[in-house]
Amino acid sequence: MIGVGATIYFDPAGTAPRTAVATVVTDDVGWFAKTFWPRTSGTYEVLVESGGEIYGRNEATFTRRPTRQAARSTVVSATRNGYTAKMRVIAQDVVTKVEPQTVYLEAGILTPGYASSDGGPYLSNRRTEGGYDARGYLGGHDGTWLTDYSFTASYRMSALQPAGLYDIYYDGKLSVYTDPWDTSGNGSRDNAWIPIPYEPIATIRVRRASSTTITASSTSFTGPRSIELTGSVRKVQLIRDREAANLLAPNTAVNLYFDPAGPRGPFYRKTVRTGSRGIYRTTVSTSTSGQWIAKCPGTGLQAPSQRAVTITVR
């Protein structure tokens, strides 16, 4: 169906109404593409209709997963004999804890065609901590192409997995339709298989969690006063190959900031270090209301963390 108009609707999860969000027209091979950035979960529906009669419809349901980590979206493409195949790969940075958590890797085909079913994108730990073999920890080969065009893989990752940089690979081919609507009349769609270069598509960072606390000796007082700030830092650490724990972290730097009430924003005051038991203690002068913020800056293998305490000066 070439040059056919279709209406795209979005039905958000909950009680909000279904609304039309775009109209599209198919190109000279019957293909259309439209990009959306959904802010909530829901269902997209594509509807072809004329004079009240529905000629075709399809739908796809999306689930939004909020995260504080950076999400990374990369498009990989390859060309052979004048045909180009494209695939979008989506992943996110990970902060691992002692208990396992679910991590997702997803992909979608962006050109007329489909993916081979012999595997999807996967993670390689070739640049992580330790002496791990390049193929010692791979994920995603057991993922699923939910349709001919969309892939998802999920893993259970904890602090036992190596921290560092994980590369995303795809060791496979993508199909591109060369005669999508069977003008040859032989009962099959003609296509060309295009191999994707075996090189990193994107990179995500995996770090272990940390946590920071802060308390004040007094949180409400009259006039300028010196108060004592105390707190601790904990880090999720790999104790040995088969054990991880959330431990108090000695000799760790903690940066202290003060954010006064109003639009000024926080400014740096000092750096202290935790003692042998992972606890820090310092005295500061406070003359205005605001927040004292303790920040553990983190490293390439350990995630940063922060906590604040509110002070009221009357």
Side-chain angles (χ1 to χ4, degrees):
M1 299 181 71
I2 297 171
V4 173
T7 303
I8 301 177
Y9 295 87
F10 182 62
D11 187 5
T15 58
R18 167 180 175 267
T19 58
V21 292
T23 57
V24 294
V25 178
T26 58
D27 61 16
D28 56 358
V29 293
W31 183 264
F32 73 87
K34 187 71 176 177
T35 299
F36 295 95
W37 296 91
R39 296 183 178 275
T40 185
S41 302
T43 299
Y44 283 97
E45 180 184 19
V46 180
L47 196 64
V48 180
E49 56 185 334
S50 177
E53 183 176 354
I54 297 176
Y55 289 91
R57 67 188 301 169
N58 212 331
E59 64 181 30
T61 297
F62 293 79
T63 300
R64 180 177 180 267
R65 295 189 300 269
T67 176
R68 294 183 178 181
Q69 305 307 313
R72 311 201 182 275
S73 174
T74 305
V75 174
V76 59
S77 65
T79 300
R80 172 181 280 188
N81 298 328
Y83 294 100
T84 299
K86 294 182 179 181
M87 176 174 64
R88 182 185 299 279
V89 177
I90 301 174
Q92 69 182 57
D93 289 353
V94 181
V95 174
T96 55
K97 304 176 182 179
V98 173
E99 63 276 7
Q101 58 190 314
T102 302
V103 179
Y104 294 92
L105 173 62
E106 292 156 303
I109 306 302
L110 300 181
T111 43
Y114 54 95
S116 60
S117 59
D118 57 355
Y122 62 88
L123 297 177
S124 169
N125 72 341
R126 69 187 185 94
R127 292 196 288 161
T128 57
E129 65 180 347
Y132 295 92
D133 181 76
R135 290 185 175 271
Y137 178 82
L138 300 177
H141 281 301
D142 55 350
T144 303
W145 285 97
L146 301 176
T147 69
D148 287 342
Y149 321 105
S150 59
F151 168 90
T152 185
S154 61
Y155 333 102
R156 297 289 285 171
M157 292 186 70
S158 72
L160 294 177
Q161 267 76 44
L165 296 177
Y166 283 70
D167 292 316
I168 300 173
Y169 285 87
Y170 176 60
D171 187 12
K173 302 177 181 180
L174 299 181
S175 166
V176 173
Y177 295 141
T178 58
D179 188 8
W181 303 122
D182 192 22
T183 57
S184 63
N186 62 8
S188 64
R189 294 179 294 190
D190 296 332
N191 63 81
W193 285 102
I194 301 176
I196 298 298
Y198 186 66
E199 58 189 33
I201 296 172
T203 298
I204 63 170
R205 182 178 296 278
V206 176
R207 293 185 286 185
R208 296 189 179 94
S210 70
S211 58
T212 303
T213 66
I214 183 172
T215 61
S217 57
S218 180
T219 58
S220 180
F221 48 86
T222 302
R225 178 180 296 187
S226 292
I227 59 175
E228 186 177 65
L229 300 178
T230 59
S232 64
V233 175
R234 285 183 177 270
K235 296 179 180 179
V236 175
Q237 302 176 52
L238 188 65
I239 301 174
R240 52 184 66 90
D241 288 347
R242 297 182 180 275
E243 184 178 355
N246 187 20
L247 303 176
L248 286 163
N251 194 31
T252 298
V254 177
N255 298 325
L256 295 175
Y257 296 78
F258 185 69
D259 186 2
R264 289 182 57 187
F267 58 91
Y268 170 79
R269 289 293 296 271
K270 64 165 68 174
T271 296
V272 296
R273 302 192 75 86
T274 59
S276 59
R277 298 177 60 189
I279 297 172
Y280 67 89
R281 189 182 308 272
T282 188
T283 300
V284 295
S285 298
T286 303
S287 59
T288 60
S289 298
Q291 284 190 328
W292 280 97
I293 306 169
K295 295 184 179 182
C296 177
T299 66
L301 303 179
Q302 202 87 46
S305 58
Q306 68 178 60
R307 189 67 64 84
V309 60
T310 299
I311 305 297
T312 302
V313 179
R314 297 184 296 273

